[in-house]
Amino acid sequence: MQRKAYLPGVAALLAALVTGCTAETGAKSSDIDAKANGATPAVAAPGKYRTLLEPCGAVEPSALKDLLPGTATLPEDQQRQALRGTAGVTYDTDRRVACSWQGDSPNASHQLRVDFERVVSYDPAVSDDDRAQEVFATKLASASVPIATAPPQEPSGEASATDAVGDGSPSPTAAPAGGGEADGAAQPGVSTGTAAGSATPGTAGVPSSGAPTAGLEPRVLDGLGDAAFIDDVLGRAGSTAQRRTVSVVFRTSNVIVTVVYGEQPALSTGVPDSKELQEKAQSLARKLAEQFDE
């Protein structure tokens, strides 16, 4: 009777040992298989910025009055309205926002637009910063900047096919002025400013009346964000008046900022001054860059 009681206990112990060995062997086998298939690739670091500045409040009233001299002659209530700006239509304020202003005077009409775009890469192997650099390079290529002055772009990874910005899929707002669409695809939204490309492309680089003098031609800029360029286009607005549009585009980490500043004289013989427009556009761009760095 004792032998019968003992044997089942021994059998249970042996069964437990066999089960444990089998489980351990299976775990080791799984580890070997995982190593054989390669380790899970590291996920690229996210971009520095997770949100964007509020564009209509990003430009100080004093700066707006300087950029839009026509507002100084308006009644106080109209001046406040003009300086408040018009926000661009957006579907995601964490991804893209814009604001535009206009000031008319007896001598000229001035337009200003600022556009903030936060680029997100949906490819785990490509960082947000790298994807933003690719979008910036596309904008640079579509501007009037001579190829010889543009620095070589070395993509650090493939662009994601599912990236919502630049792959043809819907974007939170219309594409910013100054460089056109991020990747050449039409995107939904309502544009609230006049695009730099609306004037005759490349006119600013052709020697003619009103063309920028040496040192003011479209070019790459130093000391502004991680990468920057300025475009200057002189074209006809309608049948007679000449309109100059200056665009400053810069990238800071995974955010691309576009400043578009335009002037159209009241007289058809008037030609907007490149130096003044460029200096004012660059000054505003640097102030915006400082706000992103705060």
Side-chain angles (χ1 to χ4, degrees):
M1 295 294 292
Q2 291 179 350
R3 184 178 180 81
K4 290 181 180 178
Y6 178 74
L7 287 177
V10 174
L13 177 60
L14 291 175
L17 291 174
V18 171
T19 302
C21 291
T22 303
E24 183 178 356
T25 301
K28 290 182 178 179
S29 177
S30 298
D31 291 342
I32 293 173
D33 289 342
K35 292 179 181 179
N37 292 333
T40 303
V43 177
K48 177 180 179 180
Y49 302 104
R50 300 298 183 90
T51 59
L52 292 168
L53 299 175
E54 198 287 304
C56 291
V59 186
E60 297 180 355
S62 58
L64 287 172
K65 291 178 181 179
D66 180 52
L67 292 161
L68 309 170
T71 59
T73 60
L74 295 174
E76 186 176 350
D77 57 338
Q78 294 182 28
Q79 185 177 120
R80 284 197 302 268
Q81 178 64 33
L83 297 180
R84 188 175 295 122
T86 302
V89 176
T90 182
Y91 305 104
D92 187 348
T93 55
D94 285 335
R95 289 293 305 280
R96 199 166 196 170
V97 289
C99 191
S100 60
W101 299 260
Q102 179 163 330
D104 298 324
S105 70
N107 297 325
S109 173
H110 291 82
Q111 300 80 31
L112 173 68
R113 176 181 169 88
V114 296
D115 185 290
F116 305 145
E117 177 183 356
R118 186 174 69 90
V119 180
V120 176
S121 171
Y122 292 97
D123 185 341
V126 179
S127 70
D128 292 344
D129 283 19
D130 288 343
R131 177 61 184 141
Q133 177 58 28
E134 293 172 357
V135 175
F136 175 84
T138 301
K139 293 179 181 294
L140 176 60
S142 65
S144 303
V145 180
I147 297 177
T149 67
Q153 303 296 333
E154 297 181 1
S156 53
E158 293 184 7
S160 168
T162 58
D163 192 342
V165 177
D167 62 352
S169 56
S171 171
T173 65
E181 304 294 341
D183 283 358
Q187 302 190 25
V190 177
S191 174
T192 58
T194 302
S198 61
T200 305
T203 303
V206 178
S208 63
S209 175
T213 57
L216 294 176
E217 57 277 309
R219 62 200 180 278
V220 170
L221 298 175
D222 295 325
L224 178 57
D226 298 317
F229 69 86
I230 187 168
D231 199 5
D232 188 323
V233 177
L234 179 66
R236 292 285 179 182
S239 59
T240 55
Q242 295 190 85
R243 171 186 172 82
R244 187 180 296 283
T245 304
V246 171
S247 302
V248 177
V249 181
F250 71 88
R251 178 182 72 84
T252 173
S253 185
N254 61 317
V255 168
I256 296 176
V257 177
T258 302
V259 175
V260 181
Y261 185 42
E263 178 183 331
Q264 179 179 326
L267 299 177
S268 60
T269 55
V271 178
D273 182 59
S274 277
K275 184 177 181 181
E276 180 182 6
L277 294 181
Q278 288 192 23
E279 287 179 349
K280 289 185 176 182
Q282 288 188 73
S283 176
L284 175 57
R286 296 184 189 284
K287 290 178 181 178
L288 294 175
E290 291 174 359
Q291 292 187 53
F292 275 99
D293 289 338
E294 291 178 353

